[in-house]
C-alpha cells in the first residue's frame, strides 16, 4: 500500500494579509496590525460588541490568556471568549463546580504514588498523559491496584488489575450499578454521606434498578466485574478516580462526570490525602486558560461574572464596564456564525477548522465571517481561511510566563530559544492591537501581567514569581504570601463543625441517555475517536517533525469485523457517516470488540476524521460527542481482484 505523504506545516515567520486577488501575501507588521484592528473596529461599530469572539490558546501562558480575555472584555466589550477546553473538559469543570464549588481536580499527582486504588475511567493515560502515568506506575509498584474502564483494551489497560470493556456511551448505567452494589453491600461511608452530602436517598432510589445484571445487558460489562470494581473501590483505604474524554466528549458529558463523582461521595474518597477525583486535563495550559478567565462565564480566578461585587472589582481595576451576562461558548460561537450574529473572530493558537466536530460545517462557518484574524506559530488550515495571519512565538520554550497543570500547579516557563523570523510574543501582539483600538496597556514583562492577575484573584495572590521559583511551582488556592497551600482540595468536607464544613456536596441525579448518532442497518459500526502516543491533536505541532513512530491515519477494527467485511490490514476502505465520507486504510486491533471502530484526529490533511463526527453537544458544557458516531465501511477494491 502506498502511504500518502504527511503534511508538514511551515512555521510562520512574518505576517500575512489577504490581498485583492484573494490570496494571502506577506505584509509588514504595521499593515497587518492595522488590518486586524480595523476589522474589529468596524465589526463593533456596525454590529455591536457581541459580534466579536476570541478563541484563546490553551498551549500559551497564563499571562497571555489573561491578556486575551482582558482584550475581549475591555477592548471589545463582550464576554465571548473561550478555548478548546470546550471540546475537552468543560463537563469536568461544570460537574466539579456544581458539586464542590470549584472546577479543579481535587488531588495532587504525588498522592497517586501513595494511594491504594486507581480507577482510570475513559482515560488512556499511557498514551495521552505519560507523565501522570509514571505516577500511576509508581502507585502500582507501591502496592496500589488499577482498574481501566474503556470500550477499548488500551495500552493503559495492560497494567490494570481489571479491564471493564463497556459499550460506548453507557458510563452512567455502569457507574450507577457500581453505586448500587456499594449500597447493597453495606459499604457506604455513612458518616461522610450524612455529614457532607445531600440527596443520598434520592440517589439510592435512582440507582436501585441498576442491578449488576441489568447493567451488564446495557453496558456489556460482566456483572462479576461490576461487583469486583464496586468492592475494590469502596473497601480501599484511599482511592483515586481519574477520568478524561471517554467521559466528557459525549452529548451528556456533564451528567457522566456527575455519575462518577457520586461514587466518591458514597465512599468518602475525596478531601483526604491520597483520595480524590481527577480529570486529567488536555493541553499543557488548558487548566490555566480557564483559571485566567479565558472562558465565557468566569473572570480571572474562576470568579463568577454574574456576581455584582466581583464585576465591580474588575471594573474598577480595568476602568471599563463588564457585561453582566455570560458570553458565548465555543459551540455557541459556531452556531452564531451560522445565524450571522457573530461576524469577527480573533483566533489565537487554535485550529477549529480541523478540531471541531463536523468539520465541513465548521469550515463553511469560518469562511462566512467578515473578519478572521489567526495568530499562530504555524500556517494551519484555519490560518488559510484568515484575513490576517500573525506569527507568534511558541508559549513553550520561546516565551516567559507561567502555566498551570491538572493538579492546579502553577509553574514558570522561560524563553530558551530565539523565535524565528519576525515572530513576536502573543501578549505584545494583542497589546499592539488594543493600542490601535484606544487602550494603552503598559506591561513591561510577563511578571507585570501576573502581578495584575494576583491583585484580582485571591486564589493566586500568594504566588509571586519569586515564590514560584523557590518552591518549583505552587498549587492554587494559594491566598497567602507566606503559607504553603494544601496539596488537595475540599478537606473542609471532613470538618465536624458545620460552619467550617461549608456547603454540602450534592449527589447528581443523572439518567442514562444513549449516544445521539444511533447505529442502524445503514451505519452499523460505532466509531469512537481519540489519540495515539506519537501524535498531537490536529497534527499541526507533531506533524512538523519526522518521527519513525508516526504511521498516519487508520480505521482500526477488531479481527472479527475485518473478517466479516472481508478487509485486510492496510487495505483502503471508504468510511461514511451521516455527515461525511473519507477513505482510510484498515488497522487490525485486538483491543477492539465487534461493532467498535477507532480513528484518531491527528492527520486531518490526509483523512479528515472530523468530517464524520457529530456536532451534538452537552447542553450544560457545550462539549461535542466526538466519542460516538455511527459509520459504515465499504470495500474500495472489489473482492474478485
Ligand atoms: N500523545 C498525545 N497526548 C495527548 C494529546 C494528543 O493528541 N496526543 N492530546 C491532549 C489532549 S488535548 C487531551 S484532551 C488529552 C485526552 O486524553 P484521553 O482522554 O486519555 O484521550 P482519548 O484517546 O481522546 O480518549 C480516552 C479514551 O476514551 C475511550 N472512550 C471512548 N468512548 C468511551 C465511552 O463511551 N466511555 C468510556 N469510559 N471511555 C470511552 C477511548 O477508547 C480512549 O481510550 O490528551 C492530551 N495528551
Ligand atoms: N475527532 C476528535 N476531534 C477532537 C477531539 C477528539 O477526541 N476527537 N478532541 C478535542 C480536543 S480534547 C481538543 S483539546 C481539540 C484541540 O483542538 P485545537 O486546539 O484546535 O487543535 P490543536 O492541534 O491542538 O491546535 C493548537 C494550535 O495552537 C498553536 N499554538 C501552539 N502554541 C502556541 C502559542 O504559544 N501561541 C500561539 N499563538 N499558537 C500556538 C499550534 O500551532 C496549533 O495550530 O480537538 C478536539 N477535537
Ligand atoms: Mo483536549
Amino acid at each position: 500500500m502506498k502511504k500518502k505523504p504527511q503534511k508538514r506545516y511551515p512555521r510562520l515567520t512574518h505576517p500575512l494579509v489577504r490581498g485583492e486577488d484573494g490570496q494571502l501575501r506577506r505584509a509588514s507588521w504595521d499593515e497587518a496590525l492595522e488590518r486586524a484592528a480595523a476589522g474589529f473596529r468596524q465589526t463593533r461599530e456596525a454590529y455591536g460588541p457581541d459580534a466579536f469572539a476570541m478563541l484563546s490558546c490553551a498551549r500559551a501562558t497564563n499571562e497571555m490568556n489573561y491578556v486575551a480575555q482582558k482584550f475581549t472584555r475591555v477592548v471589545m466589550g463582550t464576554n465571548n471568549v473561550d478555548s478548546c477546553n470546550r471540546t475537552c473538559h468543560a463537563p469536568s469543570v461544570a460537574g466539579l463546580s456544581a458539586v464542590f464549588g470549584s472546577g479543579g481536580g481535587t488531588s495532587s499527582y504525588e498522592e497517586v504514588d501513595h494511594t491504594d486504588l486507581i480507577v482510570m475511567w475513559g482515560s488512556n493515560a499511557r498514551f495521552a498523559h505519560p507523565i501522570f502515568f509514571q505516577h500511576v506506575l509508581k502507585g502500582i509498584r507501591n502496592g496500589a491496584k488499577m482498574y481501566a474502564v474503556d470500550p477499548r483494551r488500551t495500552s493503559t489497560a495492560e497494567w490494570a488489575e481489571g479491564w471493564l470493556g463497556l459499550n460506548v456511551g453507557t458510563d452512567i448505567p455502569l457507574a450507577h450499578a457500581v453505586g448500587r452494589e456499594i449500597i447493597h453491600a453495606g459499604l457506604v461511608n455513612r458518616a461522610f454521606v450524612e455529614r457532607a452530602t445531600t440527596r443520598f436517598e434520592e440517589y439510592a432510589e435512582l440507582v436501585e434498578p441498576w442491578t449488576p445484571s441489568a447493567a451488564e445487558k446495557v453496558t456489556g460489562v460482566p456483572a462479576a466485574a461490576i461487583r469486583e470494581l464496586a468492592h475494590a473501590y469502596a473497601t480501599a483505604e484511599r482511592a483515586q478516580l481519574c477520568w478524561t474524554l471517554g467521559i466528557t466528549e459525549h452529548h451528556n458529558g456533564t451528567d457522566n462526570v456527575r455519575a462518577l463523582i457520586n461514587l466518591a461521595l458514597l465512599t468518602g474518597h475525596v478531601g483526604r490525602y491520597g483520595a480524590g477525583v481527577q480529570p486529567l486535563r488536555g493541553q499543557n495550559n488548558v487548566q490555566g486558560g480557564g483559571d485566567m478567565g479565558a472562558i465565557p462565564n468566569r473572570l480571572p480566578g474562576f470568579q463568577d461574572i454574574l456576581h455584582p461585587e466581583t464585576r465591580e472589582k474588575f471594573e474598577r481595576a480595568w476602568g471599563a464596564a463588564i457585561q453582566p451576562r455570560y458570553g458565548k461558548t465555543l459551540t455557541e460561537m459556531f452556531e452564531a456564525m451560522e445565524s450571522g450574529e457573530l461576524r469577527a473572530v480573533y483566533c489565537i493558537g487554535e485550529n477549529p477548522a480541523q478540531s471541531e466536530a463536523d468539520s465541513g460545517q465548521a469550515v463553511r462557518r469560518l469562511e462566512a465571517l467578515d473578519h478572521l484574524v489567526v495568530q499562530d506559530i504555524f500556517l494551519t488550515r484555519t490560518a488559510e481561511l484568515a484575513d490576517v495571519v500573525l506569527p507568534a512565538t511558541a508559549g513553550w520554550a520561546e516565551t516567559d510566563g507561567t502555566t498551570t497543570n491538572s493538579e492546579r500547579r502553577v509553574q514558570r516557563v522561560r524563553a530558551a530559544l530565539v523565535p524565528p523570523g519576525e515572530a513576536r510574543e502573543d501578549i505584545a501582539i494583542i497589546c499592539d492591537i488594543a493600542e490601535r483600538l484606544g487602550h494603552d496597556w503598559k506591561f513591561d514583562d510577563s511578571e507585570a501581567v501576573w502581578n495584575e492577575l494576583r491583585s484580582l484573584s485571591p486564589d493566586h495572590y500568594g504566588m509571586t514569581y519569586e515564590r514560584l521559583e523557590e518552591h518549583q511551582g505552587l498549587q492554587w488556592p494559594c491566598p497567602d504570601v507566606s503559607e504553603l497551600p494544601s496539596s488537595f482540595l475540599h478537606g473542609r468536607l471532613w470538618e465536624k463543625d458545620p460552619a467550617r464544613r461549608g456547603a454540602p456536596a450534592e449527589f447528581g441525579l443523572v439518567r442514562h441517555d444513549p449516544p445521539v448518532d444511533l447505529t442502524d442497518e445503514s451505519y452499523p459500526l460505532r466509531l469512537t475517536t481519540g489519540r495515539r502516543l506519537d501524535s498531537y491533536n490536529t497534527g499541526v505541532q507533531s506533524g512538523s517533525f519526522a518521527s519513525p513512530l508516526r504511521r498516519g491515519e487508520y480505521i482500526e477494527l477488531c479481527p472479527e469485523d475485518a473478517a466479516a467485511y472481508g478487509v485486510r490490514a492496510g487495505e483502503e476502505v471508504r468510511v461514511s457517516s451521516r455527515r461525511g465520507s473519507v477513505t482510510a486504510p484498515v488497522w487490525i486491533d485486538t483491543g477492539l470488540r465487534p461493532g467498535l471502530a477507532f480513528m484518531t484526529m491527528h492527520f486531518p490533511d490526509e483523512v479528515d476524521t472530523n468530517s464524520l463526527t457529530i456536532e451534538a453537544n452537552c447542553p450544560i458544557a457545550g462539549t461535542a460527542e466526538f466519542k460516538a458516531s455511527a459509520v459504515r465501511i465499504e470495500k474500495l477494491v472489489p473482492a474478485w481482484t
Side-chain angles (χ1 to χ4, degrees):
M1 178 200 52
K2 262 212 314 274
K3 279 187 79 175
K4 294 173 194 163
Q6 277 156 11
K7 178 159 177 171
R8 291 196 180 197
Y9 289 88
R11 183 71 198 260
L12 286 167
T13 54
H14 47 75
L16 303 168
V17 296
R18 194 158 299 281
E20 281 175 5
D21 60 356
Q23 302 298 309
L24 285 173
R25 64 161 171 83
R26 185 171 180 158
S28 68
W29 268 107
D30 195 50
E31 183 188 6
L33 291 169
E34 195 46 47
R35 276 275 289 270
F40 295 145
R41 189 187 301 117
Q42 283 155 15
T43 303
R44 194 185 50 194
E45 282 167 6
Y47 302 100
D50 292 334
F52 169 86
M54 166 77 83
L55 304 187
S56 189
C57 183
R59 281 142 295 264
T61 60
N62 283 326
E63 289 75 2
M64 127 71 203
N65 276 281
Y66 176 84
V67 174
Q69 62 82 36
K70 185 172 171 180
F71 179 92
T72 310
R73 298 196 161 104
V74 175
V75 178
M76 299 306 293
T78 172
N79 289 314
N80 292 343
V81 52
D82 208 359
S83 79
C84 62
N85 78 81
R86 196 61 49 197
T87 60
C88 188
H89 270 294
S92 303
V93 176
L96 285 164
S97 33
V99 181
F100 301 114
S102 158
T106 70
S107 310
S108 297
Y109 296 170
E110 182 224 68
E111 292 173 50
V112 176
D113 304 355
H114 306 295
T115 192
D116 303 298
L117 188 92
I118 306 159
V119 186
M120 302 301 296
W121 199 311
S123 162
N124 189 10
R126 164 75 181 84
F127 276 16
H129 296 92
I131 295 176
F132 179 82
F133 200 68
Q134 290 305 315
H135 291 276
V136 173
L137 292 180
K138 239 194 223 176
I140 292 173
R141 262 202 306 278
N142 289 340
K145 285 182 177 162
M146 189 259 276
Y147 283 83
V149 185
D150 196 302
R152 302 183 304 140
R153 189 166 199 144
T154 58
S155 174
T156 301
E158 282 170 29
W159 273 269
E161 178 81 12
W163 165 61
L164 284 76
L166 80 173
N167 297 328
V168 168
T170 62
D171 295 274
I172 291 177
L174 184 62
H176 282 0
V178 170
R180 181 191 183 277
E181 178 65 19
I182 291 172
I183 296 169
H184 278 254
L187 296 173
V188 172
N189 186 330
R190 287 266 162 207
F192 181 80
V193 167
E194 274 160 30
R195 208 185 289 150
T197 73
T198 55
R199 309 191 84 168
F200 168 71
E201 300 303 332
E202 288 159 90
Y203 171 74
E205 210 175 295
L206 177 80
V207 299
E208 187 51 31
W210 290 110
T211 60
S213 52
E216 174 174 340
K217 288 197 192 83
V218 176
T219 65
V221 178
I226 299 176
R227 282 196 201 95
E228 182 179 326
L229 175 63
H231 286 252
Y233 184 70
T235 57
E237 175 62 29
R238 295 158 302 186
Q240 290 284 339
L241 180 46
C242 308
W243 70 83
T244 55
L245 306 186
I247 281 299
T248 59
E249 282 183 342
H250 290 278
H251 75 283
N252 55 347
T254 308
D255 286 357
N256 281 345
V257 169
R258 295 293 299 265
L260 297 200
I261 297 174
N262 287 339
L263 302 180
L265 299 183
L266 269 185
T267 50
H269 284 320
V270 67
R272 289 185 291 131
Y273 183 87
V277 287
Q278 301 207 55
L280 311 173
R281 301 301 300 262
Q283 304 80 7
N284 53 323
N285 199 32
V286 67
Q287 175 74 49
D291 298 344
M292 292 303 109
I295 41 177
N297 58 345
R298 292 284 188 271
L299 287 158
F302 209 68
Q303 301 176 79
D304 199 331
I305 285 175
L306 299 186
H307 199 268
E309 279 164 31
T310 302
R311 267 200 324 276
E312 267 165 40
K313 176 173 76 173
F314 281 89
E315 286 174 340
R316 239 178 292 125
W318 290 343
I322 296 167
Q323 280 188 349
R325 57 174 185 272
Y326 294 156
K328 290 186 177 63
T329 61
L330 183 67
T331 322
E332 289 162 349
M333 289 173 190
F334 272 84
E335 285 160 9
M337 289 178 205
E338 183 81 44
S339 65
E341 210 183 316
L342 190 63
R343 321 289 293 218
V345 169
Y346 188 176
C347 172
I348 306 180
E350 296 273 310
N351 187 20
Q354 295 184 317
S355 59
E356 284 291 297
D358 196 350
S359 54
Q361 173 175 270
V363 168
R364 258 184 280 114
R365 289 171 172 181
L366 288 165
E367 278 171 345
L369 288 169
D370 293 345
H371 190 54
L372 174 63
V373 176
V374 171
Q375 182 167 311
D376 205 292
I377 56 179
F378 292 105
L379 186 64
T380 61
R381 174 80 182 103
T382 310
E384 284 170 6
L385 306 174
D387 300 287
V388 181
V389 181
L390 304 169
T393 63
W396 188 80
E398 293 172 357
T399 312
D400 268 330
T402 61
T403 59
T404 309
N405 68 8
S406 298
E407 60 167 2
R408 297 165 279 103
R409 185 177 300 279
V410 179
Q411 292 170 293
R412 284 279 279 119
V413 291
R414 291 173 186 79
L417 299 177
V418 180
E422 297 172 20
R424 300 181 60 206
E425 284 198 14
D426 282 305
I427 294 181
I429 305 172
I430 305 169
C431 288
D432 274 358
I433 299 179
E435 195 177 345
R436 281 162 203 265
L437 296 170
H439 294 262
D440 189 8
W441 296 335
K442 293 273 176 283
F443 293 118
D444 288 338
D445 51 20
S446 61
E447 190 171 8
V449 179
W450 185 249
N451 285 337
E452 180 173 313
L453 170 270
R454 281 182 50 237
S455 73
L456 291 162
S457 168
D459 280 354
H460 294 88
Y461 181 70
M463 301 179 185
T464 59
Y465 266 23
E466 206 181 325
R467 289 191 85 212
L468 289 175
E469 182 106 30
E470 186 189 335
H471 299 287
Q472 296 189 347
L474 289 166
Q475 289 166 286
W476 64 252
C478 180
D480 195 287
V481 281
S482 50
E483 277 174 31
L484 282 180
S486 162
S487 70
F488 59 88
L489 297 179
H490 316 313
R492 66 174 175 84
L493 291 172
W494 292 89
E495 293 279 353
K496 292 217 166 64
D497 175 2
R500 293 168 65 107
R501 209 185 304 141
E506 189 181 282
F507 278 91
L509 305 178
V510 294
R511 289 173 194 280
H512 177 42
D513 190 10
V516 172
D517 206 17
L518 293 174
T519 51
D520 61 13
E521 266 176 29
S522 308
Y523 300 96
L525 280 173
R526 173 60 72 211
L527 172 72
T528 195
T529 63
R531 286 155 176 82
R532 288 208 309 252
L533 177 65
D534 45 46
S535 298
Y536 190 74
N537 286 3
T538 62
V540 176
Q541 289 173 274
S542 49
S544 293
F545 302 95
S547 156
L549 289 171
R550 298 176 75 251
R551 51 184 166 88
E553 189 63 273
Y554 289 88
I555 171 140
E556 301 183 11
L557 299 173
C558 70
E560 295 87 337
D561 281 340
Y565 286 101
V567 292
R568 290 183 306 267
E571 179 176 339
E572 290 261 340
V573 293
R574 177 167 302 286
V575 187
S576 309
S577 76
R578 296 185 175 93
R579 293 151 296 279
S581 179
V582 298
T583 60
V586 169
W587 182 273
I588 295 176
D589 180 357
T590 52
L592 292 172
R593 290 166 310 134
L596 180 65
F598 179 78
M599 291 175 77
T600 79
M601 53 179 298
H602 298 316
F603 312 97
D605 295 300
E606 301 143 44
V607 180
D608 187 5
T609 303
N610 274 332
S611 65
L612 303 171
T613 51
I614 185 166
E615 201 214 5
N617 57 68
C618 169
I620 304 168
T623 302
E625 195 152 61
F626 290 109
K627 291 289 182 265
S629 312
V631 297
R632 68 162 168 263
I633 62 167
E634 289 151 296
K635 276 177 84 78
L636 290 179
V637 184
W640 61 86
T641 59

PDB file of all heavy atoms in Angstrom, residues 83-105:
ATOM      1  N   SER A  83     -12.069  28.559  24.612  1.00  0.00           N
ATOM      2  CA  SER A  83     -10.926  27.863  24.018  1.00  0.00           C
ATOM      3  C   SER A  83     -11.290  26.400  23.830  1.00  0.00           C
ATOM      4  O   SER A  83     -12.436  25.996  24.028  1.00  0.00           O
ATOM      5  CB  SER A  83      -9.704  27.971  24.930  1.00  0.00           C
ATOM      6  OG  SER A  83      -9.803  27.041  25.996  1.00  0.00           O
ATOM      7  N   CYS A  84     -10.292  25.592  23.478  1.00  0.00           N
ATOM      8  CA  CYS A  84     -10.550  24.172  23.250  1.00  0.00           C
ATOM      9  C   CYS A  84     -10.906  23.452  24.542  1.00  0.00           C
ATOM     10  O   CYS A  84     -11.203  22.261  24.507  1.00  0.00           O
ATOM     11  CB  CYS A  84      -9.366  23.522  22.564  1.00  0.00           C
ATOM     12  SG  CYS A  84      -7.891  23.607  23.566  1.00  0.00           S
ATOM     13  N   ASN A  85     -10.888  24.130  25.689  1.00  0.00           N
ATOM     14  CA  ASN A  85     -11.401  23.491  26.915  1.00  0.00           C
ATOM     15  C   ASN A  85     -12.835  23.001  26.658  1.00  0.00           C
ATOM     16  O   ASN A  85     -13.291  22.039  27.247  1.00  0.00           O
ATOM     17  CB  ASN A  85     -11.373  24.473  28.087  1.00  0.00           C
ATOM     18  CG  ASN A  85     -12.514  25.463  28.033  1.00  0.00           C
ATOM     19  OD1 ASN A  85     -13.637  25.170  28.425  1.00  0.00           O
ATOM     20  ND2 ASN A  85     -12.251  26.642  27.500  1.00  0.00           N
ATOM     21  N   ARG A  86     -13.518  23.713  25.751  1.00  0.00           N
ATOM     22  CA  ARG A  86     -14.923  23.408  25.451  1.00  0.00           C
ATOM     23  C   ARG A  86     -15.052  22.047  24.778  1.00  0.00           C
ATOM     24  O   ARG A  86     -16.040  21.349  24.960  1.00  0.00           O
ATOM     25  CB  ARG A  86     -15.452  24.515  24.511  1.00  0.00           C
ATOM     26  CG  ARG A  86     -16.929  24.602  24.369  1.00  0.00           C
ATOM     27  CD  ARG A  86     -17.652  24.888  25.635  1.00  0.00           C
ATOM     28  NE  ARG A  86     -17.108  25.994  26.398  1.00  0.00           N
ATOM     29  CZ  ARG A  86     -17.387  26.202  27.689  1.00  0.00           C
ATOM     30  NH1 ARG A  86     -18.202  25.399  28.337  1.00  0.00           N
ATOM     31  NH2 ARG A  86     -16.826  27.215  28.332  1.00  0.00           N
ATOM     32  N   THR A  87     -14.060  21.698  23.932  1.00  0.00           N
ATOM     33  CA  THR A  87     -14.131  20.426  23.204  1.00  0.00           C
ATOM     34  C   THR A  87     -13.656  19.282  24.085  1.00  0.00           C
ATOM     35  O   THR A  87     -13.553  18.158  23.631  1.00  0.00           O
ATOM     36  CB  THR A  87     -13.242  20.466  21.946  1.00  0.00           C
ATOM     37  OG1 THR A  87     -11.888  20.713  22.354  1.00  0.00           O
ATOM     38  CG2 THR A  87     -13.672  21.542  20.983  1.00  0.00           C
ATOM     39  N   CYS A  88     -13.365  19.567  25.315  1.00  0.00           N
ATOM     40  CA  CYS A  88     -12.498  18.671  26.067  1.00  0.00           C
ATOM     41  C   CYS A  88     -13.045  18.461  27.482  1.00  0.00           C
ATOM     42  O   CYS A  88     -13.861  17.576  27.713  1.00  0.00           O
ATOM     43  CB  CYS A  88     -11.171  19.389  26.025  1.00  0.00           C
ATOM     44  SG  CYS A  88      -9.717  18.704  26.585  1.00  0.00           S
ATOM     45  N   HIS A  89     -12.657  19.307  28.451  1.00  0.00           N
ATOM     46  CA  HIS A  89     -13.006  19.054  29.846  1.00  0.00           C
ATOM     47  C   HIS A  89     -14.021  20.041  30.416  1.00  0.00           C
ATOM     48  O   HIS A  89     -14.180  20.098  31.640  1.00  0.00           O
ATOM     49  CB  HIS A  89     -11.755  19.043  30.717  1.00  0.00           C
ATOM     50  CG  HIS A  89     -11.144  17.677  30.833  1.00  0.00           C
ATOM     51  ND1 HIS A  89     -11.790  16.641  31.464  1.00  0.00           N
ATOM     52  CD2 HIS A  89      -9.970  17.173  30.390  1.00  0.00           C
ATOM     53  CE1 HIS A  89     -11.029  15.551  31.420  1.00  0.00           C
ATOM     54  NE2 HIS A  89      -9.924  15.844  30.771  1.00  0.00           N
ATOM     55  N   ALA A  90     -14.727  20.805  29.576  1.00  0.00           N
ATOM     56  CA  ALA A  90     -15.736  21.711  30.128  1.00  0.00           C
ATOM     57  C   ALA A  90     -16.747  20.951  31.004  1.00  0.00           C
ATOM     58  O   ALA A  90     -17.157  21.456  32.052  1.00  0.00           O
ATOM     59  CB  ALA A  90     -16.434  22.474  29.006  1.00  0.00           C
ATOM     60  N   PRO A  91     -17.141  19.696  30.632  1.00  0.00           N
ATOM     61  CA  PRO A  91     -18.058  18.963  31.511  1.00  0.00           C
ATOM     62  C   PRO A  91     -17.445  18.654  32.879  1.00  0.00           C
ATOM     63  O   PRO A  91     -18.163  18.603  33.886  1.00  0.00           O
ATOM     64  CB  PRO A  91     -18.337  17.667  30.739  1.00  0.00           C
ATOM     65  CG  PRO A  91     -18.090  18.022  29.317  1.00  0.00           C
ATOM     66  CD  PRO A  91     -16.931  18.982  29.356  1.00  0.00           C
ATOM     67  N   SER A  92     -16.131  18.452  32.925  1.00  0.00           N
ATOM     68  CA  SER A  92     -15.484  18.181  34.222  1.00  0.00           C
ATOM     69  C   SER A  92     -15.565  19.416  35.099  1.00  0.00           C
ATOM     70  O   SER A  92     -15.879  19.335  36.291  1.00  0.00           O
ATOM     71  CB  SER A  92     -14.008  17.803  34.022  1.00  0.00           C
ATOM     72  OG  SER A  92     -13.901  16.701  33.167  1.00  0.00           O
ATOM     73  N   VAL A  93     -15.281  20.578  34.494  1.00  0.00           N
ATOM     74  CA  VAL A  93     -15.319  21.829  35.255  1.00  0.00           C
ATOM     75  C   VAL A  93     -16.753  22.086  35.735  1.00  0.00           C
ATOM     76  O   VAL A  93     -16.983  22.407  36.903  1.00  0.00           O
ATOM     77  CB  VAL A  93     -14.793  23.002  34.388  1.00  0.00           C
ATOM     78  CG1 VAL A  93     -14.917  24.322  35.127  1.00  0.00           C
ATOM     79  CG2 VAL A  93     -13.350  22.755  33.975  1.00  0.00           C
ATOM     80  N   ALA A  94     -17.726  21.882  34.830  1.00  0.00           N
ATOM     81  CA  ALA A  94     -19.124  22.128  35.199  1.00  0.00           C
ATOM     82  C   ALA A  94     -19.567  21.162  36.296  1.00  0.00           C
ATOM     83  O   ALA A  94     -20.201  21.560  37.279  1.00  0.00           O
ATOM     84  CB  ALA A  94     -20.024  21.972  33.966  1.00  0.00           C
ATOM     85  N   GLY A  95     -19.225  19.883  36.157  1.00  0.00           N
ATOM     86  CA  GLY A  95     -19.646  18.873  37.126  1.00  0.00           C
ATOM     87  C   GLY A  95     -18.991  19.098  38.478  1.00  0.00           C
ATOM     88  O   GLY A  95     -19.670  19.091  39.519  1.00  0.00           O
ATOM     89  N   LEU A  96     -17.685  19.326  38.481  1.00  0.00           N
ATOM     90  CA  LEU A  96     -16.977  19.527  39.755  1.00  0.00           C
ATOM     91  C   LEU A  96     -17.456  20.802  40.441  1.00  0.00           C
ATOM     92  O   LEU A  96     -17.658  20.809  41.656  1.00  0.00           O
ATOM     93  CB  LEU A  96     -15.455  19.611  39.513  1.00  0.00           C
ATOM     94  CG  LEU A  96     -14.757  18.284  39.200  1.00  0.00           C
ATOM     95  CD1 LEU A  96     -13.377  18.520  38.598  1.00  0.00           C
ATOM     96  CD2 LEU A  96     -14.625  17.422  40.460  1.00  0.00           C
ATOM     97  N   SER A  97     -17.654  21.882  39.663  1.00  0.00           N
ATOM     98  CA  SER A  97     -18.073  23.109  40.358  1.00  0.00           C
ATOM     99  C   SER A  97     -19.508  23.001  40.866  1.00  0.00           C
ATOM    100  O   SER A  97     -19.826  23.561  41.908  1.00  0.00           O
ATOM    101  CB  SER A  97     -17.823  24.399  39.578  1.00  0.00           C
ATOM    102  OG  SER A  97     -17.950  24.216  38.229  1.00  0.00           O
ATOM    103  N   ALA A  98     -20.368  22.238  40.169  1.00  0.00           N
ATOM    104  CA  ALA A  98     -21.732  22.062  40.697  1.00  0.00           C
ATOM    105  C   ALA A  98     -21.715  21.318  42.038  1.00  0.00           C
ATOM    106  O   ALA A  98     -22.504  21.608  42.932  1.00  0.00           O
ATOM    107  CB  ALA A  98     -22.593  21.305  39.684  1.00  0.00           C
ATOM    108  N   VAL A  99     -20.793  20.369  42.186  1.00  0.00           N
ATOM    109  CA  VAL A  99     -20.786  19.558  43.416  1.00  0.00           C
ATOM    110  C   VAL A  99     -19.961  20.212  44.530  1.00  0.00           C
ATOM    111  O   VAL A  99     -20.368  20.235  45.687  1.00  0.00           O
ATOM    112  CB  VAL A  99     -20.218  18.144  43.123  1.00  0.00           C
ATOM    113  CG1 VAL A  99     -20.222  17.292  44.395  1.00  0.00           C
ATOM    114  CG2 VAL A  99     -21.025  17.456  42.035  1.00  0.00           C
ATOM    115  N   PHE A 100     -18.778  20.737  44.152  1.00  0.00           N
ATOM    116  CA  PHE A 100     -17.839  21.199  45.181  1.00  0.00           C
ATOM    117  C   PHE A 100     -17.615  22.706  45.188  1.00  0.00           C
ATOM    118  O   PHE A 100     -16.865  23.223  46.012  1.00  0.00           O
ATOM    119  CB  PHE A 100     -16.472  20.523  44.985  1.00  0.00           C
ATOM    120  CG  PHE A 100     -16.504  19.025  45.048  1.00  0.00           C
ATOM    121  CD1 PHE A 100     -16.218  18.256  43.919  1.00  0.00           C
ATOM    122  CD2 PHE A 100     -16.821  18.369  46.231  1.00  0.00           C
ATOM    123  CE1 PHE A 100     -16.237  16.868  43.968  1.00  0.00           C
ATOM    124  CE2 PHE A 100     -16.845  16.982  46.292  1.00  0.00           C
ATOM    125  CZ  PHE A 100     -16.552  16.230  45.153  1.00  0.00           C
ATOM    126  N   GLY A 101     -18.171  23.418  44.206  1.00  0.00           N
ATOM    127  CA  GLY A 101     -17.979  24.864  44.144  1.00  0.00           C
ATOM    128  C   GLY A 101     -16.687  25.274  43.470  1.00  0.00           C
ATOM    129  O   GLY A 101     -16.380  26.454  43.362  1.00  0.00           O
ATOM    130  N   SER A 102     -15.893  24.303  42.999  1.00  0.00           N
ATOM    131  CA  SER A 102     -14.637  24.631  42.327  1.00  0.00           C
ATOM    132  C   SER A 102     -14.399  23.609  41.234  1.00  0.00           C
ATOM    133  O   SER A 102     -14.665  22.412  41.426  1.00  0.00           O
ATOM    134  CB  SER A 102     -13.503  24.598  43.358  1.00  0.00           C
ATOM    135  OG  SER A 102     -12.271  24.416  42.709  1.00  0.00           O
ATOM    136  N   GLY A 103     -13.918  24.071  40.081  1.00  0.00           N
ATOM    137  CA  GLY A 103     -13.832  23.201  38.903  1.00  0.00           C
ATOM    138  C   GLY A 103     -12.536  22.425  38.773  1.00  0.00           C
ATOM    139  O   GLY A 103     -12.319  21.757  37.775  1.00  0.00           O
ATOM    140  N   GLY A 104     -11.641  22.494  39.761  1.00  0.00           N
ATOM    141  CA  GLY A 104     -10.336  21.840  39.638  1.00  0.00           C
ATOM    142  C   GLY A 104     -10.370  20.399  40.125  1.00  0.00           C
ATOM    143  O   GLY A 104     -11.181  20.034  40.973  1.00  0.00           O
ATOM    144  N   GLY A 105      -9.441  19.586  39.593  1.00  0.00           N
ATOM    145  CA  GLY A 105      -9.225  18.239  40.123  1.00  0.00           C
ATOM    146  C   GLY A 105      -8.831  18.365  41.587  1.00  0.00           C
ATOM    147  O   GLY A 105      -8.187  19.336  41.974  1.00  0.00           O
TER     148      GLY A 105
END
